[in-house]
Amino acid sequence: MRIGDAWVSRRELIQAFGGTLNPGLAAAPSRKFANPAPLGLCAFGLTTFVLCMANVQARGVTNPSVVIGCAYFYGGFIQLCAGMWEMVLENTFGATALSSFGGFWLAFGAIETDAFGIVSAYGDDTNGLNNMLAFFLLAWFIFTFGLVLCTLRSTVGFFLLFFTLDIAFLLLGVGHLYPTDAGGPNVGITKAGGVFGLLSAFFAWYNAFAGLATKENSLITVKPIPMPWNLGHLANKRKSG
């Protein structure tokens, strides 16, 4: 495929779209098993949704303990498996993103589990606990920002998934940096982070559905919307022009 004075191979286009982690756009490589990306995206989306419903205090809920089970088994273990399967498919981006966020949920579950003694280790030092939780979340903000940069040539839905997640990490981290007088995270900032987290969850489900729904199994399919500077979009525009 020729764009301007440069030739762009099909493999380069696939890599630009995040490989199979951007379902519905990138052609899957030849393989003997299914595309793991929708599974990983669903695991991420559902677990994020459950936690962020507590973050926004939906129906007065403030205790997120129910999400611990999801964090260990669905958002954690299942998403980690999906990431490893992306590694088999030679998709570095998909393997890094899904495996890392699977690790995030496992770490979150460990923090929230009394048996690990992580929270109790701080005793009455709520300031130290809040600062460390803030550092934890802000580190994920920095990591996710790098992923956002890697999605700038993908689709709108794929970019928004990581962009809204990045803002959520930032706000949740800042919420712990500026806690209330009672020692808890700043409620207003945490709620805002929860809203962006919910948006990220729905974008994850949207992208997962794009990889699951086909003309053979669904009356409704999702057409990916490429970013304006997407290589494939530019090539098609040049060809039609």
Side-chain angles (χ1 to χ4, degrees), residues 28-29 32 55 91 113 167 181-182 197:
K32 296 181 180 180
N55 286 335
N91 182 4
T113 301
I167 299 301
D181 294 336

Side-chain angles (χ1 to χ4, degrees), residues 37-118:
L39 174 62
L41 290 168
C42 286
F44 170 82
L46 187 144
T47 311
T48 302
F49 175 84
V50 175
L51 175 62
C52 288
M53 288 297 283
N55 286 335
V56 300
Q57 298 186 7
R59 299 184 64 85
V61 173
T62 58
N63 187 341
S65 295
V66 168
V67 78
I68 295 175
C70 295
Y72 278 126
F73 300 106
Y74 197 34
F77 177 71
I78 294 299
Q79 190 175 181
L80 179 62
C81 288
M84 292 297 99
W85 292 326
E86 287 283 0
M87 188 77 74
V88 175
L89 299 181
E90 302 179 3
N91 182 4
T92 304
F93 181 90
T96 302
L98 293 181
S99 299
S100 295
F101 289 123
F104 164 79
W105 284 116
L106 289 170
F108 176 85
I111 293 171
E112 294 292 322
T113 301
D114 293 338
F116 283 94
I118 296 174

Side-chain angles (χ1 to χ4, degrees), residues 3-234:
I3 301 179
D5 295 328
W7 286 92
V8 180
S9 69
R10 180 178 179 84
R11 181 174 181 80
E12 288 173 327
L13 290 175
I14 292 174
Q15 290 175 340
F17 302 150
T20 58
L21 186 54
N22 198 162
L25 180 64
S30 176
R31 57 178 180 262
K32 296 181 180 180
F33 51 91
N35 178 9
L39 174 62
L41 290 168
C42 286
F44 170 82
L46 187 144
T47 311
T48 302
F49 175 84
V50 175
L51 175 62
C52 288
M53 288 297 283
N55 286 335
V56 300
Q57 298 186 7
R59 299 184 64 85
V61 173
T62 58
N63 187 341
S65 295
V66 168
V67 78
I68 295 175
C70 295
Y72 278 126
F73 300 106
Y74 197 34
F77 177 71
I78 294 299
Q79 190 175 181
L80 179 62
C81 288
M84 292 297 99
W85 292 326
E86 287 283 0
M87 188 77 74
V88 175
L89 299 181
E90 302 179 3
N91 182 4
T92 304
F93 181 90
T96 302
L98 293 181
S99 299
S100 295
F101 289 123
F104 164 79
W105 284 116
L106 289 170
F108 176 85
I111 293 171
E112 294 292 322
T113 301
D114 293 338
F116 283 94
I118 296 174
V119 173
S120 61
Y122 290 87
D124 296 330
D125 185 12
T126 56
N127 184 59
L129 176 61
N130 275 312
N131 283 331
M132 284 307 299
L133 289 173
F135 299 155
F136 174 73
L137 291 166
L138 291 176
W140 283 100
F141 159 72
I142 296 170
F143 168 76
T144 306
F145 180 75
L147 297 183
V148 172
L149 297 180
C150 294
T151 65
L152 292 177
R153 282 185 168 178
S154 62
T155 62
V156 174
F158 196 57
F159 166 77
L160 289 176
L161 161 61
F162 289 96
F163 177 75
T164 53
L165 175 63
D166 204 30
I167 299 301
F169 277 132
L170 176 62
L171 292 173
L172 293 173
V174 172
H176 281 283
L177 284 178
Y178 299 96
T180 62
D181 294 336
N186 187 294
V187 177
I189 300 176
T190 300
K191 282 186 175 181
V195 170
F196 277 94
L198 288 173
L199 290 173
S200 179
F202 281 108
F203 282 123
W205 275 327
Y206 170 87
N207 283 282
F209 182 76
L212 290 173
T214 66
K215 295 180 180 180
E216 291 75 24
N217 65 14
S218 177
L219 294 176
I220 301 174
T221 57
V222 176
K223 182 179 180 180
I225 303 173
M227 299 291 275
W229 43 83
N230 177 283
L231 292 177
H233 174 72
L234 292 175

